[in-house]
Amino acid sequence: MDIAVFWLHQVRRMKCLVINLDRSSDRLAHVAAEFDGIGISFERIAAVDARGRLDLASMQQLTGHVSQSRLTDAEIACLLSHRVCWSIIAAGDDAHVAVFEDDVVFASAAGALLADAGWIPADADIVKLETFFWPAMIGPRRIAAGHGFSLNRLYNPHLGCAGYIVSKRIAGALVDATKEIDMPVDHVIFDPVRQRRPVRKIYQLSPALCVQKQHLEDGAQLPSLIPDDRDGSGTAVKPRLSTMARMKREVERLARQLYRICRLQFSSIVPFDHHGERMYRPHTQRGENAL
């Protein structure tokens, strides 16, 4: 066999799914340009559109896991959109598949990493590819992924679902776990504290492979399609917790801190390399999760 052909057979190319609303042609053009820039192809997945789903408001929800309030129609549609991807992955042949939202901006080295899935740890259920520039609790052991990237185990919620890799094994479990709706999609995937069985091994890529465009200040922004519930100051309105709920939350927080100290876990902000600059915080103050 020709050596070049042999090498191509050894490379496990990454399948990439991109969630995009039918009415968001501007976002599709943006993400297509991003993938073209790194030389990687993708498959578009039509997002569930809250505008056309009048049944979302009446869907049964469980409350109390993350907040005391119901998810908005847009949040439910976002969850269902990702669930479509998980169903495709669970029914497919690929061991690991990357899922992206259509507002991502890639690091310049992203193409080299997405061209070969061989760097993914065999025990990885989920790999978070993006950063939200929030402190992430990670383990001390670092695994080289090549091309300047590395992996650490992720042990606390590091939210945002603009870019992640999910295994075929866990994709089916995520589908089953979301038959009943009780939390936003990023908590479903990246909240190890509240995850359901089976226990998932989640890794964080560093520096991040991608970031949502809303965190950058170069060029026009893509507006969020998931409106936040905010007060007049622009601050998200949080439901008022009871005294017992606040005490329980504080006890859980202290218990997690003690556990992390014992397990040698440490807090770190995952950076993003953008045009030669290593970013450790967003260039804008916008914080909404967009789809």
Side-chain angles (χ1 to χ4, degrees):
M1 180 183 293
D2 181 83
I3 186 67
V5 175
F6 173 80
W7 173 249
L8 286 174
H9 277 280
Q10 303 310 305
V11 173
R12 292 183 288 149
R13 288 195 169 274
M14 184 87 66
K15 182 176 182 179
C16 298
L17 306 179
V18 173
I19 301 172
N20 170 253
L21 284 166
D22 290 339
R23 56 184 166 88
S24 295
S25 57
D26 55 339
R27 297 168 75 96
L28 180 59
H30 160 77
V31 77
E34 286 292 319
F35 271 92
D36 185 62
I38 61 173
I40 297 294
S41 61
F42 68 91
E43 177 182 343
R44 177 186 176 271
I45 304 300
V48 175
D49 195 339
R51 289 185 183 178
R53 290 288 301 270
L54 301 179
D55 60 317
L56 297 183
S58 61
M59 292 184 68
Q60 183 176 0
Q61 294 185 40
L62 303 176
T63 58
H65 287 78
V66 174
S67 73
Q68 303 298 315
S69 59
R70 287 176 57 88
L71 272 64
T72 65
D73 289 359
E75 287 175 322
I76 298 173
C78 181
L79 170 60
L80 296 179
S81 299
H82 283 268
R83 196 169 187 266
V84 170
C85 294
W86 304 335
S87 298
I88 292 172
I89 297 167
D93 298 323
D94 297 271
H96 293 89
V97 177
V99 179
F100 296 98
E101 294 179 351
D102 57 9
D103 60 345
V104 293
V105 173
F106 287 117
S108 58
L113 211 64
L114 292 177
D116 178 13
W119 56 271
I120 302 174
D123 64 348
D125 292 314
I126 297 170
V127 179
K128 185 172 179 64
L129 300 176
E130 73 167 317
T131 179
F132 230 54
F133 299 108
W134 291 348
M137 197 64 61
I138 60 177
R141 180 170 174 248
R142 189 169 77 171
I143 303 172
H147 310 287
F149 295 95
S150 62
L151 296 153
N152 295 77
R153 283 288 303 275
L154 181 65
Y155 289 103
N156 80 322
H158 184 202
L159 305 182
C161 286
Y164 61 93
I165 293 169
V166 62
S167 70
K168 173 180 170 65
R169 182 185 82 88
I170 212 65
L174 288 173
V175 171
D176 291 339
T178 49
K179 288 180 179 178
E180 293 182 317
I181 297 172
D182 62 350
M183 65 181 78
V185 62
D186 43 6
H187 282 275
V188 172
I189 306 174
F190 297 117
D191 192 340
V193 177
R194 296 179 176 87
Q195 67 180 234
R196 300 184 182 89
R197 298 287 180 179
V199 174
R200 303 188 284 276
K201 282 196 174 181
I202 307 175
Y203 287 87
Q204 171 70 58
L205 188 70
S206 183
L209 188 85
C210 60
V211 70
Q212 286 181 304
K213 188 171 176 59
Q214 66 180 8
H215 293 308
L216 308 176
E217 60 184 8
D218 55 337
Q221 296 297 318
L222 296 171
S224 171
L225 301 181
I226 299 182
D228 286 333
D229 293 325
R230 298 180 182 274
D231 61 19
S233 66
T235 303
V237 179
K238 297 181 180 179
R240 185 181 299 275
L241 298 178
S242 66
T243 301
M244 185 62 68
R246 290 197 300 270
M247 292 175 60
K248 179 182 178 183
R249 184 177 61 182
E250 185 64 18
V251 169
E252 290 177 346
R253 184 183 66 82
L254 294 174
R256 288 196 296 270
Q257 286 183 345
L258 180 61
Y259 176 82
R260 289 162 185 163
I261 292 172
C262 294
R263 293 293 298 271
L264 300 179
Q265 298 167 9
F266 62 95
S267 178
S268 176
I269 292 179
V270 178
F272 177 69
D273 292 341
H274 184 56
H275 296 329
E277 175 192 359
R278 176 149 292 191
M279 297 171 52
Y280 286 91
R281 66 178 187 270
H283 279 174
T284 69
Q285 296 302 311
R286 299 178 60 188
E288 65 266 26
N289 179 22
L291 173 60

